[in-house]
Amino acid sequence: QVQLVESGGGLVQPGGSLRLSCTASGSILRINLMGWYRQAPGKERELVATLTNDDSAVYADSVKSRFTITRDNAKNTVFLQMNSLKPEDTAVYYCNIRGARQAWSVTIPIDSWGQGTQVTVSS
C-alpha cells in the first residue's frame, strides 16, 4: 500500500502565499517522480509542477516564476511553494507520485494520488 497525505491548502488573498505538502508512506522501493496537479470546478485536471528523481522540474506556463516544487527525499515529501497567488489558481490540488514497489521479487509500478487539498484565492 502506498498512501499520500496532503496538507497546506486554505483561503488566501490575491498576492498571498501558501505552501502545500505531500508525504508518501507505505512499501516504496523508489520514487521516480513527484508532482502536483490541480482541478478547478468544471475544468479538466492540469499539471502544475513535477519533479523527477534527478531534480528536473517541469512547470505549467501559468505558474512559472510563481510556484516552486521541492522535495525531501528522506521524508518522502514533496512541497509546492505558491507565491503571488491569483484567483485563477483556485482549485483542488492533488499530489501524485510515480515510482515502484517490490513484492515477492517483482517490481510493481506506483502511480498514486492524494485526496486533494482545496486552495482558494479570493479577496
Side-chain angles (χ1 to χ4, degrees), residues 17 36 61 63 87 100 103-104 109 112 116:
S17 298
W36 293 93
D61 289 341
V63 307
W104 302 108
S112 298

Side-chain angles (χ1 to χ4, degrees), residues 15-105:
S17 298
L18 285 173
R19 181 180 172 89
L20 305 184
S21 177
C22 174
T23 299
S25 63
S27 182
I28 301 172
L29 179 63
R30 64 176 180 269
I31 296 175
N32 296 330
L33 178 146
M34 289 184 167
W36 293 93
Y37 294 75
R38 67 186 182 187
Q39 187 169 20
K43 297 183 178 180
E44 297 292 327
R45 183 188 66 183
E46 65 175 352
L47 180 146
V48 178
T50 61
L51 186 65
T52 63
N53 59 3
D54 63 351
D55 293 324
S56 178
V58 174
Y59 295 93
D61 289 341
S62 60
V63 307
K64 288 181 179 178
S65 301
R66 299 188 299 118
F67 291 9
T68 303
I69 184 170
T70 58
R71 71 181 177 212
D72 184 336
N73 289 336
K75 299 179 180 179
N76 284 340
T77 299
V78 63
F79 305 94
L80 184 67
Q81 179 66 47
M82 304 184 293
N83 298 325
S84 301
L85 283 163
K86 304 175 180 179
E88 51 263 44
D89 295 319
T90 296
V92 177
Y93 285 69
Y94 296 93
C95 176
N96 171 245
I97 65 166
R98 299 175 62 184
R101 61 184 177 92
Q102 190 167 350
W104 302 108
S105 301

